[in-house]
Amino acid sequence: MRAQPSGLRTGAEPQVECPRLSSPGNMVPSCPAAAEKAAKQPALDPTEPWELKSWRVLVVSLCFYGFMAQIRPGESFITPYLLGDKNFTMRKVTNEILPVLPYSYLAVLVPVFLLTDYLRYKPVLVLQGVSYVSLWLLLLLGHTVLHMQFMEFFYSITMAARIAYSSYIFSLVRPERYQRMAGYSRCAVLLGVFTSSVLGQLLVSVGSLSFTVLNYITLGFLTFSLMLTLFLKRPKRSLFFNRSTPSDHAALPSELDRMALGGPSKPVGGKYATLLAAWRDSVLVRMCRELGTRLQQPQLRLWSLWWIFNSAGYYLITFYVHILWNSVQDTQRSSMVYNGAADAASTLLGAITSFAAGFVKIRWALWSRLVIATVTAIQAGLIFLMISTNNIWVCYTTFVLFRGAYQFLVPIATFLIASSLSKELCALAFGINTFLAASLKTLIIAIVADKRGLNLLVCSQFQVYFGYFLMLSVLYFAGALLVDLRRHLRQGRHQLVAQEMTSPTQKDTQVPGVQDKGLGSLSLTGPPLPPQDSAQTPWPTAHKQSLLPKEA
């Protein structure tokens, strides 16, 4: 809609007689009253009309790229390819090649995270595409363990660069469209993973293609997705390093803006004191201190710990499950391998459970520990079935259920962590949780799988992973029992204090107690739960920030 000249008559403003305009081209009013009124009106954002017109094009282009970047039909069959066509032994793959992935991922995670924001996303997406192409070239043309170790290094770069796409989509749209873009992009990625796994399985089982031909087809898809990154729009702003200047009509100040209101303190002393003061006044350090304060909230602390410990265990299973399948059923014929079907089924079940988690209506402040403990115990039981059976279809089924159980809790953890943090603190919290999970995963692999550690074979490793999840479930159940016991003791103590403060006359006239009226007479005297913990609140709750209860 074109802007109406400020000097024209409107029903909401006093009438100003202005019979003519000094310049019809630029629409400048000639009378002083109209000019003063025009000066008071806020300037229109020149980028808003363009964004409104290009919204559909932007959604389609980003989702198409997110879909095509996941089309890697040979990814589910890399382990059989290494053990079969490349003639590597299982011990070399398990104890020399695969451990390079967590080591290199931990090394590149923080630099890639910082470069993603500093370079404004697009260069990191290009780096991810180049790394994928280099990975498959080494897989096809390499013949030594060193070549495969470099392949794992490039794969670690692609894993670390995945944050670029999830952050990139939010830098191109306005905040009111964040939720829709998150849903569209996640749907595109999951659909791409599912399509890739199904396509790979069909080419192997129905088309009877060899793993080598399948990897060449994958290389072609990856080259096409790399070309797509060259046509992506580079954002003008990012979250930390390239922040846009707030306009007159901008929303409330962000967490970084609120932290910077006081300005940096003036250092006193020499050069060392100046550098120390500058470091203390940096935005990142202020955000870390603020995040440490927010971690006093029990729900935020609980789900952050779940993210660290359970994510580490989840990726340990997904890294080595293909080798476990090969040890259960060692097949030389590619048409007898159904890894792609198992990955497709697990992706589909993960999408279904993630969607179903949005409709779970329970009081998370009361039942979070019990839900986490139950799901973790189920995962431990599924791992035990994996290592106890000689039937490959039981292994496939248990992995599908294991992955679906993890994906069920991911959106719940994401919502409960993000509901009490601002956008900037939320990004920092997930970044720290991911780094700590990667550190724990690397430590476990260095002890269990590396040839310089215990050098265990895959079956023995899964026994360790079973003990890991079993220990986590016991700790979660113990925590739930302790918290519940403490809550009952606190309620009993409050009731005792209330009875002591009641006079004898009032005691005689009180209404009958629980023994006389039954359990229906019980009433909680604590503060009400927040909206996201209410059973009547639809999921997800659309709010920017909410405070979780200080005691769970």
Side-chain angles (χ1 to χ4, degrees), residues 353-368:
T353 55
S354 297
F355 180 78
F359 297 91
V360 176
K361 300 177 182 179
I362 64 175
R363 301 169 67 181
W364 290 108
L366 297 178
W367 302 108
S368 289

Side-chain angles (χ1 to χ4, degrees), residues 120-311:
R120 289 175 291 166
Y121 312 112
K122 180 178 177 178
V124 178
L125 292 176
V126 176
L127 174 64
Q128 185 185 40
V130 172
S131 299
Y132 267 126
V133 173
S134 303
L135 185 161
W136 250 266
L137 286 175
L138 284 170
L139 182 64
L140 288 167
L141 304 179
H143 298 285
T144 64
V145 173
L146 182 61
H147 292 156
M148 299 303 106
Q149 289 175 341
F150 272 107
M151 178 199 70
E152 296 292 343
F153 171 74
F154 282 111
Y155 189 62
S156 68
I157 296 178
T158 65
M159 291 180 58
R162 290 173 185 175
I163 191 176
Y165 177 72
S166 59
S167 305
Y168 171 77
I169 60 177
F170 297 116
S171 64
L172 294 176
V173 298
R174 301 179 69 86
E176 58 267 20
R177 296 196 176 106
Y178 281 176
Q179 185 175 359
R180 294 175 62 185
M181 279 303 303
Y184 295 152
S185 62
R186 179 171 175 80
C187 180
V189 169
L190 290 177
L191 183 60
V193 174
F194 177 77
T195 304
S196 175
S197 301
V198 172
L199 177 62
Q201 189 63 58
L202 290 177
L203 291 175
V204 169
S205 300
V206 180
S208 300
L209 296 182
S210 65
F211 294 142
T212 302
V213 176
L214 185 63
N215 285 321
Y216 275 111
I217 294 175
T218 303
L219 181 61
F221 278 111
L222 292 174
T223 304
F224 177 70
S225 65
L226 173 60
M227 295 175 59
L228 289 179
T229 60
L230 302 178
F231 296 95
L232 294 177
K233 175 182 173 60
R234 189 178 185 184
K236 296 182 179 180
R237 64 182 187 272
S238 59
L239 190 58
F240 299 108
F241 293 104
N242 304 286
R243 295 181 54 79
S244 59
T245 304
S247 58
D248 295 336
H249 61 278
L252 294 176
S254 64
E255 190 73 23
L256 295 179
D257 300 328
R258 289 194 294 268
M259 291 180 183
L261 288 178
S265 58
K266 296 182 179 180
V268 179
K271 183 177 180 180
Y272 176 77
T274 302
L275 294 177
L276 182 61
W279 179 77
R280 289 177 177 175
D281 290 328
S282 64
V283 173
L284 185 60
V285 174
R286 293 185 184 183
M287 290 179 64
C288 289
R289 289 199 297 262
E290 178 67 18
L291 183 60
T293 303
R294 301 288 181 89
L295 283 176
Q296 296 178 1
Q297 302 176 17
Q299 288 292 295
L300 179 60
R301 184 170 60 248
L302 171 66
W303 286 100
S304 295
L305 290 175
W306 175 87
W307 195 281
I308 295 170
F309 288 101
N310 287 61
S311 295

Side-chain angles (χ1 to χ4, degrees), residues 386-407:
M386 288 185 196
I387 60 180
S388 303
T389 183
N390 293 323
N391 190 327
I392 188 61
W393 294 104
V394 175
C395 287
Y396 287 152
T397 304
T398 51
F399 173 72
V400 170
L401 296 176
F402 175 86
R403 192 172 180 181
Y406 174 79
Q407 295 296 335

